[in-house]
């Protein structure tokens, strides 16, 4: 039996959780519980014991080790998918078919094909709200950067530099295998690539062509469940050149094996004909240098009313109640960053430039 949705706004929203990882425990569960009229009713985790532990910790009534118990529960209106990407497609499609609104953890899917299938399913259920957890890296700066680009302060954009460096030296072979380094669970997602590319899409739009090189430094990792060594198929260093639709060329470096980085290790630089904008994520500072004032870098003050904060759960609930719409991140936006991610992998494998959107 599907939950009542559509034109009727829901005052009482009952939520089921599938996958109680770090983000789910830190953000989704407590922040949903803080919204009047929202109740987190049931949690499914990899085992009933682990689900029960989270239920006790966060005051949730029901625990299960079977995700189907959550999706099939007719009393629930909405599902939060907090698993690794390998289950996102299955859980989202099943939840939509059961008439549930869905908030899914990022990255959206294992690959672009899965992402498109999920997006198309969402279109077949226009009465249901679907949302992907957005990259929160640049929330505080997004509105200001978008305004600076739109106003033409930088002039025509020529070149964009993105650095996503761990600033730590490579681990030894045999280091623990995590879901981010295990293609069985993460698919074509590579490290923090998607998390860093998504904000760039917000500011300047999509890429139209990608050429990438990659290196796998830590080639063997220990499976923590079996103790066996596994070959790693996800690169830990990426070097990407992308042609952006706005006309600029972007150089993106993502690495978990580079230590002792001089200068900035995490951030963005947008170079235009009339100015350069530099976001240093480590320092949480935004700087602008204008043409004719080279060497006079000025910090850009971010007005309080322009500083966006994490409100993923509020936005999800407001959309269910017909009190707002999903801005960050829609399934359509998720498809676009998954296409970029897959284009990077295709370029690595072929040694060729890959055009976007994918065909």
């Amino acid at each position: 039996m599907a939950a009542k949705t559509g034109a009727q706004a829901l005052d009482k929203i009952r939520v089921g959780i599938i996958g109680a990882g770090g983000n789910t425990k830190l953000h989704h569960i407590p922040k949903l519980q803080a919204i009047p009229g929202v109740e987190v009713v049931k949690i499914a985790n990899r085992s009933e014991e682990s689900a029960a532990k989270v239920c006790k910790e966060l005051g949730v009534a029901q625990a299960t080790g079977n995700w189907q118990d959550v999706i099939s529960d007719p009393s629930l209106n909405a599902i939060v998918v907090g698993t690794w990407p390998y289950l996102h497609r299955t859980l989202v499609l099943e939840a939509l078919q059961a008439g549930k609104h869905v908030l899914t953890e990022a990255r959206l899917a294992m690959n672009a094909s899965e992402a498109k299938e999920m997006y198309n399913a969402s279109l077949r259920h226009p009465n249901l709200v679907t949302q992907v957890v957005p990259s929160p890296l640049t929330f505080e700066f997004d509105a200001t950067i978008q305004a600076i680009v739109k106003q033409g302060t930088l002039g025509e954009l020529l070149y964009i530099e993105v650095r996503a460096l761990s600033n730590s030296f490579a681990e030894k072979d045999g280091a623990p295998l995590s879901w981010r380094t295990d293609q069985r669970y993460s698919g074509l997602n590579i490290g923090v690539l998607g998390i860093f590319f998504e904000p760039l899409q917000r500011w300047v739009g999509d890429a139209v062509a990608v050429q990438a090189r990659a290196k796998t430094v830590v080639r063997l990792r220990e499976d923590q469940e079996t103790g066996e060594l596994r070959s790693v198929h996800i690169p830990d260093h990426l070097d990407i050149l992308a042609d952006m639709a706005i006309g600029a060329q972007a150089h993106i470096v993502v690495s978990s094996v580079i230590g002792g980085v001089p200068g900035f290790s995490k951030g963005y630089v947008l170079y235009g004909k009339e100015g350069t904008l530099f976001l240093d994520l480590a320092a949480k500072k935004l700087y602008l240098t204008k043409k004719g004032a080279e060497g006079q870098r000025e910090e850009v003050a971010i007005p309080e009313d322009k500083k966006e904060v994490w409100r993923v759960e509020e936005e999800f609930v407001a959309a269910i109640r017909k009190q707002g719409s999903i801005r960050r991140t829609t399934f359509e936006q998720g498809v676009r960053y998954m296409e970029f991610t897959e284009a990077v992998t295709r370029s690595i494998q072929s040694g060729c430039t890959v055009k976007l959107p994918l065909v």
Side-chain angles (χ1 to χ4, degrees):
M1 173 178 150
K4 284 187 178 181
T5 53
Q8 180 181 354
L10 291 170
D11 293 324
K12 186 69 173 177
I13 298 174
R14 291 168 58 85
V15 183
I17 307 290
I18 304 176
N23 221 29
T24 306
K25 291 186 289 186
L26 177 65
H27 289 293
H28 305 325
I29 295 175
K31 289 176 181 176
L32 284 168
Q33 290 172 322
I35 301 173
V38 176
E39 181 183 4
V40 178
V41 177
K42 184 180 293 187
I43 296 175
N45 215 19
R46 299 184 76 181
S47 70
E48 186 171 348
E49 292 74 20
S50 64
K53 182 178 179 182
V54 178
C55 283
K56 183 178 180 181
E57 178 184 342
L58 297 176
V60 178
Q62 301 176 42
T64 178
N66 185 351
W67 60 261
Q68 292 172 324
D69 292 343
V70 177
I71 290 179
S72 63
D73 188 334
S75 75
L76 301 180
N77 312 109
I79 304 294
V80 173
V81 176
T83 68
W84 301 328
Y86 78 114
L87 276 177
H88 289 185
R89 171 194 168 275
T90 297
L91 298 180
V92 167
L93 296 184
E94 291 280 349
L96 291 175
Q97 189 61 36
K100 319 290 190 187
H101 305 283
V102 185
L103 168 63
T104 185
E105 194 59 70
R107 301 285 88 200
L108 177 56
M110 295 277 276
N111 52 49
S113 176
E114 284 191 0
K116 289 176 184 177
E117 187 177 1
M118 294 159 70
Y119 172 56
N120 288 333
S122 74
L123 296 179
R124 294 194 296 271
H125 297 275
N127 61 317
L128 297 175
V129 173
T130 53
Q131 181 181 10
V132 194
V133 174
S135 168
L137 285 179
T138 59
F139 278 174
E140 180 180 348
F141 305 97
D142 282 339
T144 299
I145 293 174
Q146 286 168 330
I148 288 172
V149 172
K150 186 176 181 180
Q151 291 164 3
T153 303
L154 304 180
E156 179 186 349
L157 280 179
L158 304 174
Y159 179 67
I160 298 167
E161 184 178 1
V162 182
R163 291 192 193 179
L165 312 179
S166 67
N167 203 8
S168 58
F169 292 100
E171 297 177 292
K172 295 180 179 179
D173 278 347
L177 183 71
S178 70
W179 73 267
R180 286 194 183 278
T181 53
D182 193 337
Q183 206 165 53
R184 296 172 302 171
Y185 298 123
S186 62
L188 300 185
N189 297 291
I190 303 175
V192 296
L193 173 61
I195 299 169
F196 273 78
F197 186 70
E198 187 181 340
L200 190 61
Q201 284 181 305
R202 295 176 196 153
W203 308 334
V204 301
D206 296 325
V208 295
V210 172
Q211 188 171 34
R213 297 291 298 273
K215 186 175 182 64
T216 303
V217 177
V218 184
R219 301 178 182 87
L220 291 172
R221 289 184 177 271
E222 182 180 356
D223 189 317
Q224 298 301 285
E225 293 184 354
T226 66
E228 66 179 307
L229 290 178
R230 288 187 173 273
S231 297
V232 177
H233 301 288
I234 296 178
D236 38 31
H237 182 90
L238 281 176
D239 210 317
I240 303 164
L241 286 178
D243 292 328
M244 306 300 292
I246 201 171
Q249 184 181 79
H251 181 204
I252 304 168
V253 182
V254 179
S255 183
S256 61
V257 294
I258 292 178
V261 178
F264 78 102
S265 59
K266 294 180 178 68
Y268 303 79
V269 189
L270 280 62
Y271 299 91
K273 285 186 175 180
E274 303 298 325
T276 294
L277 193 64
F278 169 38
L279 174 59
D280 186 339
L281 285 175
K284 290 290 183 182
K285 300 286 186 181
L286 183 65
Y287 301 98
L288 176 65
T289 302
K290 294 183 179 179
K291 184 178 180 179
E294 288 82 357
Q296 298 180 37
R297 186 175 73 177
E298 297 181 1
E299 184 176 347
V300 179
I302 311 297
E304 287 299 321
D305 63 345
K306 297 295 184 182
K307 292 181 180 180
E308 297 198 31
V309 296
W310 180 285
R311 56 179 306 273
V312 176
E313 298 77 19
E314 291 177 42
E315 191 170 289
F316 182 56
V317 170
I320 292 173
R321 288 176 169 163
K322 313 296 182 185
Q323 297 169 349
S325 59
I326 299 301
R327 291 177 55 246
R328 294 182 182 161
T329 293
T330 66
F331 272 27
E332 185 273 335
Q333 292 165 334
V335 168
R336 284 161 43 213
Y337 73 57
M338 284 305 309
E339 284 207 311
F340 177 81
T341 299
E342 182 156 328
V344 168
T345 295
R346 290 188 187 185
S347 179
I348 293 168
Q349 292 173 344
S350 68
C352 300
T353 298
V354 176
K355 301 292 187 180
L356 287 161
L358 298 179
V359 293

